[in-house]
């Protein structure tokens, strides 16, 4: 008889005791979507699937009328499975393979974002007649996770790209931008809309008729005030109004984080507490590789909760469980946890519904990807639980 391992049986079986796990409240996703829709009436919202591609999130948003922003064939398949129709899908990733464009066309997707001449050529060849929007490089100061020059055309390049698209047989319909994720400065959208308007003005009779406002809408984390969606929406509305006398494009947005972050609580467990060189280190069973990728460079500092431990707190270095030196969540940020925190205690990361489960590695150090427990609080109270791993 072979060796019998403990395997999955070693993990607790009750959904809410699997550690670590992400608990995602679908009613909070619905609320965030409707709040944004009300704040930006008449603006199509294309959910950026990468933020959290859980099938229940996609199905809920599809049923509520959302459109979707895609980055890959995998996301395309998930959206179709969730019931989204191809006319509501927009391929927002400017970096595409030939096979991506072919798969998108075969599925009936007709909207693409581009930012480079070779990509315009690819679209003209593989998706003739498709609707394309050019992504401008805009200032992303104020973003917690800036793109730092990875994407986007200058204004001169954008004019040339739209002309290249039009003469290449594409529908050169749009101009757009992304002001950087977790963007805390509403003026970033104002400056970017002004830049898009300058491009539109230069195109005369071929003015773009669509304006992609991108994502970037921020959510609450530790260490710093964030404008709410109404504040961002007011800045956007004013900026659009400033050009409306001569340019009235159809605006759409690609929100990711803001629709799912607040719906998620990541529940983890303390594994070890140790003193090292005069600092208290707390090691958790979740880290950089099980979903907390946005702690890299301490870009996102989550709000933490320690249910059942309410005593005196002290500063800690917070670390993940793997044998990797990079797997430290916070060394510099001021993180304080109860002094009596001990192995087995729960630590909760709030606002963790975005860019967590989708970032988890498939098995670094043998640790599984972060499972998601979906809950929905019905009108009459009570909680429905189910767990699925993605
Ligand atoms: C093209 C595109 N659109 C939208 C988003 C969503 O951004 P956010 O989650 O900041 O709203 C991203 C995020 O990286 C993106 O790359």
């Amino acid at each position: 008889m072979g060796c019998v391992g403990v395997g999955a049986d070693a993990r607790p079986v009750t959904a809410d005791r699997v550690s670590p796990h992400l608990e995602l409240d679908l009613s909070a996703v619905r609320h965030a979507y409707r709040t944004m829709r009300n704040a930006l009436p008449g603006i199509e919202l294309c959910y950026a699937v990468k933020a959290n591609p859980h099938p229940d999130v996609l199905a809920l948003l599809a049923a509520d009328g959302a459109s979707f922003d895609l980055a890959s064939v995998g996301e395309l398949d998930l959206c179709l499975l969730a019931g989204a129709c191809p006319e509501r899908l927009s391929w927002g990733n400017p970096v595409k393979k030939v096979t991506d464009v072919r798969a998108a066309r075969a599925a009936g997707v007709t909207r693409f974002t581009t930012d480079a001449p070779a990509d315009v050529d690819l679209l003209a060849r593989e998706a003739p007649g498709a609707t394309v929007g050019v992504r401008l490089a805009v200032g992303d100061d104020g973003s917690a996770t800036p793109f730092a020059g990875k994407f986007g055309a200058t204004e001169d390049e954008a004019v040339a790209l739209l002309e290249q698209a039009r003469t290449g047989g594409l529908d050169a319909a749009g101009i757009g931008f992304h002001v950087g994720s977790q963007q805390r400065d509403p003026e970033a959208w104002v400056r970017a809309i002004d830049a898009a308007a300058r491009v539109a003005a230069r195109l005369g009779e071929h003015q773009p008729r669509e304006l992609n406002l991108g994502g970037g809408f921020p959510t609450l984390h530790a260490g710093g005030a964030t404008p709410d969606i109404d504040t961002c929406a007011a800045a956007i509305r004013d900026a659009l109004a400033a050009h409306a006398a001569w340019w009235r494009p159809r605006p759409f947005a690609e929100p990711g984080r803001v629709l799912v972050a607040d719906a998620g609580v990541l529940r983890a467990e303390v594994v070890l507490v140790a003193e090292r060189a005069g600092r208290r280190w707390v090691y958790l069973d979740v880290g950089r590789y099980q979903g907390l990728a946005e702690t890299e460079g301490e870009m996102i500092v989550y709000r933490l909760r320690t249910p059942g431990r309410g005593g005196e707190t002290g500063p800690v270095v917070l670390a993940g469980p793997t044998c990797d030196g990079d797997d430290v969540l916070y060394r510099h940020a001021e993180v304080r946890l109860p002094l009596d925190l001990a192995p087995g205690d729960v630590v909760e990361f709030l606002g963790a519904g975005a860019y967590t489960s989708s970032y988890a590695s498939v098995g670094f150090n043998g640790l599984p990807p972060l499972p998601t427990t979906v809950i929905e609080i019905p009108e009459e109270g009570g909680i429905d639980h189910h767990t699925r791993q993605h």
Side-chain angles (χ1 to χ4, degrees), residues 48 50 69 92 135 147 178 181-182 215-217 254-257 355:
K50 58 184 77 81
D69 160 54
R135 177 167 169 174
F147 290 109
H178 191 306
S181 201
Q182 186 66 9
F217 303 93
E254 297 174 344
R257 183 185 301 280
Y355 302 113

Side-chain angles (χ1 to χ4, degrees), residues 63-77:
D64 228 21
S67 298
F68 296 89
D69 160 54
L70 309 175
S72 68
V73 175
E75 290 188 353
L76 166 64
D77 291 343

Side-chain angles (χ1 to χ4, degrees), residues 100-110 112 126-131:
D100 294 333
V101 181
R102 288 184 186 156
R105 284 300 276 183
V109 175
T110 58
F112 298 88
E126 299 293 337
T131 300

Side-chain angles (χ1 to χ4, degrees), residues 30-246:
R30 189 179 295 108
H31 177 74
Y33 174 69
R34 292 182 181 175
T35 301
M36 185 160 191
R37 207 174 52 186
N38 291 340
L40 291 166
I43 296 190
E44 181 188 10
L45 300 182
C46 304
Y47 171 59
V49 176
K50 58 184 77 81
N52 190 319
H54 194 288
D56 292 1
V57 170
L58 302 183
L60 174 162
L61 291 173
D64 228 21
S67 298
F68 296 89
D69 160 54
L70 309 175
S72 68
V73 175
E75 290 188 353
L76 166 64
D77 291 343
L78 284 173
C79 287
L80 294 174
L81 272 173
C85 52
E87 307 84 74
R88 297 221 314 253
L89 305 180
S90 156
W91 196 288
N93 188 350
V95 181
K96 318 167 192 71
K97 294 179 173 180
V98 175
T99 45
D100 294 333
V101 181
R102 288 184 186 156
R105 284 300 276 183
V109 175
T110 58
R111 292 160 73 188
F112 298 88
T113 295
T114 190
D115 68 0
D119 188 61
V120 174
D121 281 344
L122 170 66
L123 291 168
R125 224 173 34 245
E126 299 293 337
T131 300
V132 296
V134 168
R135 177 167 169 174
L136 275 173
V138 294
D140 51 15
D141 287 356
S143 160
T145 64
F147 290 109
K150 183 175 177 187
F151 300 107
T154 63
E155 293 174 33
D156 287 346
E157 289 164 349
V159 170
L161 287 170
L162 283 166
E163 279 171 1
Q164 181 191 345
R166 185 172 54 79
T167 54
L170 294 161
D171 172 20
I175 187 78
F177 50 79
H178 191 306
V179 293
S181 201
Q182 186 66 9
Q183 175 57 259
R184 297 190 187 92
D185 179 8
E187 290 298 306
W189 279 275
V190 177
R191 289 188 290 271
I193 290 169
D194 290 348
R198 284 194 295 273
V199 172
R202 287 173 59 181
L203 284 159
E205 58 170 325
H206 300 299
Q207 236 172 46
R209 60 175 196 279
E210 294 189 346
L211 175 63
N212 181 353
L213 302 165
F217 303 93
T219 57
L220 183 63
H221 289 296
T226 37
D228 61 15
I229 192 65
D230 288 325
T231 307
C232 295
I236 288 170
R237 275 197 308 271
D238 288 352
L240 292 174
H243 304 288
W246 63 274

Side-chain angles (χ1 to χ4, degrees), residues 270-282:
V270 177
V271 179
L272 173 71
V273 180
E275 292 292 325
R276 301 196 194 284
R279 300 191 76 183
R280 187 164 61 117
W281 285 66
V282 173

